[in-house]
Amino acid sequence: DVKVTQSSRYLVKRTGEKVFLECVQDMDHENMFWYRQDPGLGLRLIYFSYDVKMKEKGDIPEGYSVSREKKERFSLILESASTNQTSMYLCASSLPRAGETYNEQFFGPGTRLTVL
Amino acid sequence: AQSVSQHNHHVILSEAASLELGCNYSYGGTVNLFWYVQYPGQHLQLLLKYFSGDPLVKGIKGFEAEFIKSKFSFNLRKPSVQWSDTAEYFCAGYTGTYKYIFGTGTRLKVLA
């Protein structure tokens, strides 16, 4: 079974702090993603990466950055946390189908971040 | 604009009732669609997917979905729900360039 793990289930930070959310997958997947999940808004893509050291902005990248130094690890960084970044953060990975760039995604359990 | 719409935000059913959750997509090109489920306290997991071929797709736990191109729809169905199907359901589509777009989710509550 593919396993995607996230460093924390719950996190409480203060406004202005730098926050690191870590995600690790154990199935050698090429693609990794960070989403935030908010009630009534579904999942919104923050950043994705299709290879080591490669990263692309998603739909809501403002206030976030990412790092992918190793294939299995994809980190989300909140440079200066703000209250409007209080949310559930989901990491996902996928192995593209042969000759394609897509396939099903495997999700981690999520990190519920509260910024006070 | 590209979008995936789920019109039912909350659904309450009794056990053994039939389920149909709506999903409509709005984008062109090759259509690749997914249904994911999130049980309380658990991570999102894949129910089923459509890439091509037979428009009627069977998934896990007795779920199925039908891709109807003319209606831009990919509705999720189950003939008889169980209390354990209580969860949030998300429809998603692959829109290209490594991006997926998700619907806003449907919360299903099944009464025992």
Side-chain angles (χ1 to χ4, degrees):
Chain A
D1 276 352
V2 175
K3 194 164 184 182
V4 180
T5 56
Q6 295 182 229
S7 50
S8 307
R9 290 301 299 270
Y10 299 93
L11 208 53
V12 179
K13 295 292 182 180
R14 296 212 172 269
T15 302
E17 281 192 79
K18 191 169 186 175
V19 182
F20 293 87
L21 303 182
E22 305 286 338
C23 174
V24 177
Q25 50 94 4
D26 67 357
M27 283 301 291
D28 205 33
H29 283 180
E30 295 173 16
N31 299 344
M32 295 189 75
F33 309 81
W34 275 106
Y35 293 91
R36 61 178 284 176
Q37 181 182 10
D38 299 289
L41 297 178
L43 278 69
R44 294 178 292 167
L45 180 65
I46 305 172
Y47 267 95
F48 66 94
S49 167
Y50 53 88
D51 201 352
V52 176
K53 297 192 185 295
M54 304 303 290
K55 57 189 179 185
E56 294 283 345
K57 292 180 181 179
D59 299 317
I60 53 164
E62 296 78 20
Y64 303 94
S65 63
V66 290
S67 172
R68 192 169 181 198
E69 297 295 320
K70 293 185 178 181
K71 192 173 185 179
E72 68 271 17
R73 188 181 296 271
F74 192 36
S75 303
L76 179 70
I77 303 153
L78 285 65
E79 296 290 342
S80 178
S82 63
T83 55
N84 62 12
Q85 292 179 309
T86 291
S87 186
M88 172 70 87
Y89 290 88
L90 299 181
C91 176
S93 72
S94 73
L95 181 65
R97 302 172 74 205
E100 303 287 357
T101 57
Y102 62 87
N103 206 345
E104 66 181 277
Q105 294 176 300
F106 293 84
F107 286 86
T111 296
R112 186 166 293 282
L113 173 67
T114 302
V115 182
L116 301 175
Chain B
Q2 298 175 327
S3 67
V4 169
S5 303
Q6 293 180 244
H7 305 295
N8 315 104
H9 299 296
H10 293 89
V11 174
I12 300 175
L13 295 172
S14 298
E15 271 193 320
S18 64
L19 170 72
E20 181 159 5
L21 301 182
C23 173
N24 289 93
Y25 65 92
S26 171
Y27 59 91
T30 304
V31 177
N32 302 290
L33 296 162
F34 308 81
W35 274 99
Y36 290 89
V37 61
Q38 188 173 34
Y39 297 104
Q42 296 189 27
H43 60 275
L44 271 159
Q45 55 188 285
L46 183 75
L47 269 180
L48 46 79
K49 59 191 176 188
Y50 172 78
F51 291 160
S52 63
D54 189 344
L56 186 61
V57 180
K58 304 278 188 189
I60 60 170
K61 305 189 181 189
F63 286 91
E64 66 178 31
E66 185 173 11
F67 171 63
I68 303 179
K69 191 173 181 179
S70 61
K71 295 184 177 180
F72 301 92
S73 69
F74 189 55
N75 292 354
L76 181 71
R77 300 195 294 245
K78 187 171 185 179
S80 176
V81 294
Q82 302 172 317
W83 177 81
S84 57
D85 293 323
T86 294
E88 189 162 17
Y89 294 80
F90 292 92
C91 183
Y94 179 71
T95 58
T97 323
Y98 302 95
K99 289 188 180 181
Y100 302 77
I101 188 166
F102 284 77
T104 53
T106 297
R107 287 185 185 269
L108 171 66
K109 184 170 185 177
V110 180
L111 304 175

